[in-house]
Amino acid sequence: MSAYTRDGVAAAFIAEGRRSGVSERGIVICLATGLVESNLTVYANPADPDSLKEPHDAIGSDANSVGPLQQRAPWWGSSARERMDPTLSSRLFYTALKAQPFDSPAHTPGWYAQQVQRSAFPDRYDERMAQAQAIYDRLAAAAPSPFPDDANGVAMSPAPAYTELDRMGGSRSSRNGAVIRNFLLHTEEGNSTAERLAAFCNDAAHGASYHYTVRDGVVCDVVDTDFASWSVLSANPYTINLCFAGSHAGWSRADWLERRADLTIAAWLAVADARKYGFATTVVAPPYRVTDGISDHRYVTRAGIGDHTDVGDGFPWDVFAADVAVFSGAAAPADAAKAGAPAAPAAAGPVPVPPPIDAAAQAEAAIGAVAARAADWLGPRKDLVAVACPDERGWFAAFRGGTIYWTALTGAHAVPTRLLESYTSYQRENGPLGYPVVDHTELPDGQVEAFERGVLYRRRDAAQGFFVAGTIGARWARDGYEKGPLGWPVSSEMRLADGGVRQDFEHGRLYWSPDGTTVVGAAGAPDAAGAAPAA
């Protein structure tokens, strides 16, 4: 029996488009894309083994493309479930589509679909647009509204009153497939308005940004939540970050309660994003524990990243948690209900100290689970117990066929031997890539795996592998990855004397200039300025 019907896939596309605020034209573009790519059929693919574990209607064999929109790891989503599930896969599509002015009549709807999909047959999307419109017209009236139906099946309360300003800027990075796990609160340690703090964030030279800045009922959207802001170092890919403009970590409870309305707004945004991305709405208040949910910058410090202490001891976690409970339809957790509340009279005897997080045990359990799942290619274990990494953030264990790495934020992922050789040349977790964030994918001609700050590729016949990242990586992805006109990467990024960056590929090279322009160059073409390996 089929897992999905074509109408079921189409209805999921329509409902997710409505929930995401996409216009009718954008939804029809998604439907037409699904018709071209799969005829609205959910395909699994042996080249993406986890896709075979998800509900599917057919088996495909086009590279490692899966799902109703034929999306490929590691560039689309962080798991096979995201690529296979009609709602989640269309969410990925709409996120990419919204980077284009798809409602503009400057191009046909199919042209915008091609900007997302980069198909070898770009004319096919417009050919299916009339059929897609007919499907939309037939199903739209019956398609469920995304609210109040949320991921947990509980209606959200109406949003509190606030003024939302679009102040989106470029101070952001790709999440490289990482799963969002936390919504974090921050203090500014200054006295800016929400708009002034947003302007500060949008100057990339400052090297700091947030997804939202909030003050006095004004919310500035600064970074699209589908991207990572520059807020919490190596935890950026896994978090959504909100900063209370004009706030200080040293504030008292009374100081915070003077901003009572802003606390409610922050709670609503946190719950809305938790439902959008599927992470828990648990309020993780002091003394903290490493888990999915809503917390603050000090939570990341306690997880071993950085040294910040905001939002501070005076933050009224009980009030904030009560707001979260209202919007999520859940009871406030006991620890959040107590944290930040006025102190009760001290009880006799010593104050109990919560036990430390047993990172070694967590790492060992996670590594063991991955080892069992990948036993056929990982082979026997070399390290009898998990070994702590020098940065004191992660743990690893070596096997004959590769090494499994774990951190509390990234989870456990295995790096196979050939990719591990290249990862080692980049100094492993201490180098520019950081920790792996998804499992590797076997391609017809090689292997690929996404890390915190880049995606590592290695051809089967190549002496070494190279990673792509940032603007150059995004442009290469839009052109079709290794199957596009440029082919596989054959060098690391190289800094040019004029401040630009160059990376070589099999059939050409990409240049990034300081003004933000990315251009394609011919293979072997001389540089306008000398090149040196990028730091």
Side-chain angles (χ1 to χ4, degrees), residues 193-272:
T193 63
E195 292 180 84
R196 276 211 314 270
L197 182 55
F200 176 90
C201 293
N202 284 330
D203 183 345
H206 291 138
S209 64
Y210 306 95
H211 293 95
Y212 308 102
T213 58
V214 178
R215 183 171 184 178
D216 298 334
V218 174
V219 176
C220 289
D221 299 325
V222 185
V223 172
D224 188 323
T225 51
D226 288 331
F227 293 86
S229 63
W230 300 341
S231 312
V232 281
L233 302 175
S234 56
N236 287 331
Y238 318 98
T239 58
I240 294 173
N241 295 277
L242 177 151
C243 186
F244 293 102
S247 64
H248 297 267
W251 272 4
S252 67
R253 179 181 176 88
D255 292 328
W256 278 109
L257 291 179
E258 289 183 7
R259 298 274 296 271
R260 179 70 183 86
D262 288 346
L263 298 180
T264 302
I265 293 167
W268 193 88
L269 292 170
V271 173

Side-chain angles (χ1 to χ4, degrees), residues 76-323:
W76 287 100
S78 59
S79 67
R81 178 172 177 265
E82 284 186 275
R83 296 182 288 275
M84 294 288 289
D85 180 85
T87 296
L88 300 180
S89 64
S90 63
R91 181 179 301 170
L92 296 173
F93 180 90
Y94 289 129
T95 297
L97 183 65
K98 285 191 286 186
Q100 306 287 333
F102 61 87
D103 278 320
S104 169
H107 298 283
T108 67
W111 187 91
Y112 292 110
Q114 171 65 3
Q115 303 315 299
V116 176
Q117 296 296 103
R118 293 290 169 175
S119 169
F121 306 98
D123 296 335
R124 292 183 177 178
Y125 299 115
D126 277 322
E127 293 172 359
R128 305 297 291 273
M129 210 60 64
Q131 183 182 359
Q133 184 68 58
I135 292 173
Y136 178 89
D137 292 342
R138 178 168 57 84
L139 296 179
S145 172
F147 291 103
D149 299 322
D150 67 277
N152 299 317
V154 180
M156 276 190 74
S157 299
Y162 63 86
T163 300
E164 187 168 15
L165 303 177
D166 183 348
R167 296 294 184 268
M168 293 287 192
S171 298
R172 68 188 196 185
S173 300
S174 168
R175 293 192 184 274
N176 288 328
V179 177
I180 299 172
R181 299 187 56 183
N182 296 106
F183 188 104
L184 302 178
L185 307 176
H186 300 256
T187 57
E188 180 197 356
E189 303 305 311
N191 194 35
S192 298
T193 63
E195 292 180 84
R196 276 211 314 270
L197 182 55
F200 176 90
C201 293
N202 284 330
D203 183 345
H206 291 138
S209 64
Y210 306 95
H211 293 95
Y212 308 102
T213 58
V214 178
R215 183 171 184 178
D216 298 334
V218 174
V219 176
C220 289
D221 299 325
V222 185
V223 172
D224 188 323
T225 51
D226 288 331
F227 293 86
S229 63
W230 300 341
S231 312
V232 281
L233 302 175
S234 56
N236 287 331
Y238 318 98
T239 58
I240 294 173
N241 295 277
L242 177 151
C243 186
F244 293 102
S247 64
H248 297 267
W251 272 4
S252 67
R253 179 181 176 88
D255 292 328
W256 278 109
L257 291 179
E258 289 183 7
R259 298 274 296 271
R260 179 70 183 86
D262 288 346
L263 298 180
T264 302
I265 293 167
W268 193 88
L269 292 170
V271 173
D273 279 340
R275 294 181 170 187
K276 177 178 180 180
Y277 293 101
F279 61 90
T281 56
T282 304
V283 175
V284 187
Y288 305 110
R289 55 193 174 92
V290 178
T291 188
D292 291 9
I294 304 165
S295 194
D296 66 347
H297 200 161
R298 183 162 55 179
Y299 163 84
V300 176
T301 300
R302 294 292 174 84
I305 302 172
D307 58 4
H308 284 250
T309 60
D310 53 320
V311 286
D313 293 334
F315 187 80
W317 285 106
D318 57 324
V319 174
F320 179 76
D323 286 341

